[in-house]
Amino acid sequence: MTSSRRLCHPVFLGPSVAALLLAAAGCSTTDAAVPITVPTPSPQAAAYCRALHEELPKTVAGLDRGDAGPKSELTAEWGDGEIVLRCGVPRPAKMDDPMAKGTEANGVNWLLEQSEDAGPRFTTTYRKAYVEVTLSAAYAHDASPLAAFGPAVRKTVPGL
């Protein structure tokens, strides 16, 4: 006598397996650097950016400078991408907005662009090369890291 064994209730593992995989992915870590888009400035702006790169601080807001990818004299990051600097970016269109918000930090004027899903982005104003600093959402209401860039920007990127 042959017996065929049947399950009374079908077993469906799809959602539980997917949840397990998502949980495992969320808990895993990688040492991959945060990818940063390298700007393509004019030769004159690139020269200012190379000079700025040499003067950038080793720490900002208690975060150590890291190795952002790809390596470039036009980019830098601190704290695994919590603070990202790009030099030689295009002039933001927001600078044409008379209602745009800005701030001054350690002798450098910055345009503020808020993001709904990320932290603030600041871009220097009145300089021969535009320097952009993007802060993580942890700095949504804190522009104090900008002060660390003031001396280097003033020394290497001339005003207009």
Side-chain angles (χ1 to χ4, degrees):
M1 176 177 218
T2 31
S3 109
S4 64
R5 187 171 171 199
R6 291 185 142 177
L7 294 174
C8 293
H9 301 284
V11 177
F12 182 64
L13 297 176
S16 60
V17 171
L20 180 63
L21 290 173
L22 287 173
C27 293
S28 65
T29 61
T30 65
D31 291 332
V34 175
I36 299 172
T37 303
V38 177
T40 53
S42 69
Q44 181 184 25
Y48 298 135
C49 293
R50 283 191 298 278
L52 174 63
H53 187 79
E54 296 299 317
E55 298 294 325
L56 290 173
K58 298 210 185 298
T59 61
V60 174
L63 302 172
D64 291 329
R65 188 166 169 182
D67 293 323
K71 286 193 176 241
S72 170
E73 292 180 318
L74 305 176
T75 63
E77 61 94 18
W78 291 263
D80 294 327
E82 290 181 57
I83 299 173
V84 174
L85 180 142
R86 299 185 325 133
C87 185
V89 298
R91 182 181 188 273
K94 187 80 172 173
M95 284 191 184
D96 293 331
D97 181 355
M99 300 304 289
K101 295 180 180 177
T103 190
E104 187 274 342
N106 212 352
V108 176
N109 292 311
W110 300 86
L111 167 75
L112 166 63
E113 294 179 275
Q114 282 291 106
S115 171
E116 293 295 320
D117 57 344
R121 178 174 59 204
F122 296 89
T123 307
T124 56
T125 62
Y126 310 115
R127 298 274 164 190
K128 292 192 176 185
Y130 293 104
V131 178
E132 174 190 277
V133 173
T134 304
L135 305 176
S136 72
Y139 296 97
H141 303 287
D142 180 9
S144 63
L146 293 179
F149 300 113
V153 169
R154 285 192 328 268
K155 180 177 180 179
T156 60
V157 183
L160 295 176

